Amino acid sequence: MFNKSLTRSIPYWLLLALSVASATVGGWLVWDNATTMQTTLLDGTATNVEVYVGQAWITAGAAILGAGVLGVLLALVLAAAKSLIPAAPVVVEPIDWTADDEAPASDDAMEPAPDAAEAPTDGDDAPEDGSEDQNGSSGSIATARKISVK
């Protein structure tokens, strides 16, 4: 259903997309809270929440921004490393349209499997009177062994 190279590249694109999203959210948190804090401090209208909670939001935003930037750099390193690995050559063999259909290689493939009664046993499962056990409900050995009799 999916191309094999596509399924291999999904984690790469997922890493890149989530890293960019993380960097964007972290950058927005830092920018918004730092701008609010600077504006209210310069106006003289700053409250404790804007100053002290704003610092915590800026720190959290900086961590998220750093993780996003690190993810983008890791994606770039992975892309560079993948470009250094040579691609496997694709071998295309021509089709011989003049060849006949293949016949069975030998007659050995047509021989039925050896009968279980002919297989050597260690003597533990064999009845003492020399007759074979009948496992089928109809009492025939062919039924017990699921062999078609013609």
Side-chain angles (χ1 to χ4, degrees), residues 129-140:
D129 62 349
S131 66
E132 294 186 34
D133 286 336
Q134 294 181 352
N135 297 326
S137 60
S138 67
S140 71

Side-chain angles (χ1 to χ4, degrees), residues 61-149:
I64 295 170
L65 174 65
V69 169
L70 186 64
V72 169
L73 292 175
L74 181 63
L76 289 173
V77 167
L78 287 174
K82 185 170 174 102
S83 69
L84 294 176
I85 298 172
V90 177
V91 178
V92 178
E93 296 180 9
I95 299 174
D96 184 14
W97 295 103
T98 61
D100 293 336
D101 292 336
E102 289 187 23
S106 66
D107 292 335
D108 294 337
M110 297 298 190
E111 291 181 18
D115 194 21
E118 298 173 0
T121 60
D122 58 358
D124 293 338
D125 348 347
E128 294 178 15
D129 62 349
S131 66
E132 294 186 34
D133 286 336
Q134 294 181 352
N135 297 326
S137 60
S138 67
S140 71
I141 296 173
T143 303
R145 294 188 183 151
K146 298 181 183 173
I147 299 172
S148 64
V149 180

Side-chain angles (χ1 to χ4, degrees), residues 11-89:
Y12 170 77
W13 290 109
L14 190 64
L15 169 67
L16 186 60
L18 291 178
S19 297
V20 168
S22 175
T24 304
V25 169
W28 176 78
L29 282 173
V30 170
W31 179 264
D32 184 50
N33 287 303
T35 305
T36 302
M37 190 184 327
Q38 181 183 10
T39 304
T40 56
L41 283 172
L42 291 176
D43 289 347
T45 60
T47 63
N48 288 338
V49 172
E50 291 169 340
V51 175
Y52 296 111
V53 175
Q55 290 176 9
W57 276 110
I58 290 171
T59 304
I64 295 170
L65 174 65
V69 169
L70 186 64
V72 169
L73 292 175
L74 181 63
L76 289 173
V77 167
L78 287 174
K82 185 170 174 102
S83 69
L84 294 176
I85 298 172

